[in-house]
Amino acid sequence: MNRKSQNLKYMIDDSDVLSETIDSRKELYPPDLEEQWKDAKPEYKQENGVTILTILGHEVVYAFEEPYMKRLGEIASRNGGDVLNVGYGLGILDKEIERYRQERDIKKHYVIELNKYLAETARNEEFPWEVREGSWQDTLEEFDTEQFD
């Protein structure tokens, strides 16, 4: 078998594996998952001393991701100005952005969150960010005249 034939064979084999993977996960990602997600109560569980946020059985964020999320907050706020984050989760990234508010002259900080409970948690924090509840696709339409730094 020549190299081109081998590559084609692998591509076919890979597509079969991909199809099997997609089929095996259909029950995890039903067509109405976004609608279910909006109203699903988040659960916080502990495994080996690590907090894990789950929604509908899906792991959303782990507390051990804190150093990574803080680094993202540092990067997202680097230019100051107006900052947008999609997905509140445990609030790690957004709190890190706020840590830089004065130093980097952050004017506006928006949080988009699909889940109503997490959106409410974000609203109840004592930070001057603005929470937009809904999907990022729908919510971004509200920002059609905004630019983010």
Side-chain angles (χ1 to χ4, degrees):
M1 183 181 292
N2 68 29
R3 188 165 183 78
K4 188 174 182 180
S5 298
Q6 276 185 317
N7 287 342
L8 182 58
K9 178 184 178 295
Y10 292 131
M11 287 173 51
I12 292 169
D13 289 348
D14 286 350
S15 67
D16 291 345
V17 170
L18 178 60
S19 290
E20 288 174 23
T21 301
I22 290 169
D23 288 342
S24 72
R25 295 181 180 179
K26 280 184 179 173
E27 65 188 43
L28 293 174
Y29 305 101
D32 66 340
L33 179 61
E34 186 175 299
E35 286 304 312
Q36 291 180 39
W37 196 276
K38 289 178 183 180
D39 298 323
K41 189 120 172 114
E43 295 182 18
Y44 301 87
K45 61 183 182 177
Q46 293 286 323
E47 279 186 17
N48 300 321
V50 174
T51 301
I52 305 169
L53 167 63
T54 64
I55 297 178
L56 297 172
H58 295 272
E59 295 171 344
V60 177
V61 66
Y62 291 77
F64 71 72
E65 295 176 273
E66 186 170 348
Y68 172 70
M69 300 301 282
K70 284 185 170 186
R71 179 73 173 124
L72 290 177
E74 178 188 345
I75 292 167
S77 63
R78 184 176 293 159
N79 296 326
D82 298 339
V83 182
L84 171 68
N85 176 39
V86 178
Y88 182 71
L90 294 173
I92 299 167
L93 188 146
D94 293 296
K95 290 172 186 171
E96 189 69 6
I97 290 169
E98 287 300 319
R99 192 168 80 80
Y100 291 104
R101 180 175 282 277
Q102 298 298 333
E103 175 186 330
R104 296 185 175 169
D105 195 28
I106 294 172
K107 306 245 184 275
K108 295 180 188 172
H109 174 183
Y110 296 97
V111 179
I112 297 175
E113 176 54 57
L114 177 62
N115 181 272
K116 71 180 184 182
Y117 295 102
L118 293 180
E120 188 62 27
T121 298
R123 279 189 200 97
N124 288 334
E125 293 281 355
E126 295 193 17
F127 291 101
W129 56 53
E130 185 176 324
V131 178
R132 303 283 175 99
E133 189 174 328
S135 72
W136 67 267
Q137 297 94 330
D138 294 339
T139 308
L140 281 181
E141 293 174 4
E142 299 173 23
F143 296 110
D144 64 347
T145 61
E146 296 279 340
Q147 289 186 323
F148 296 97
D149 300 293

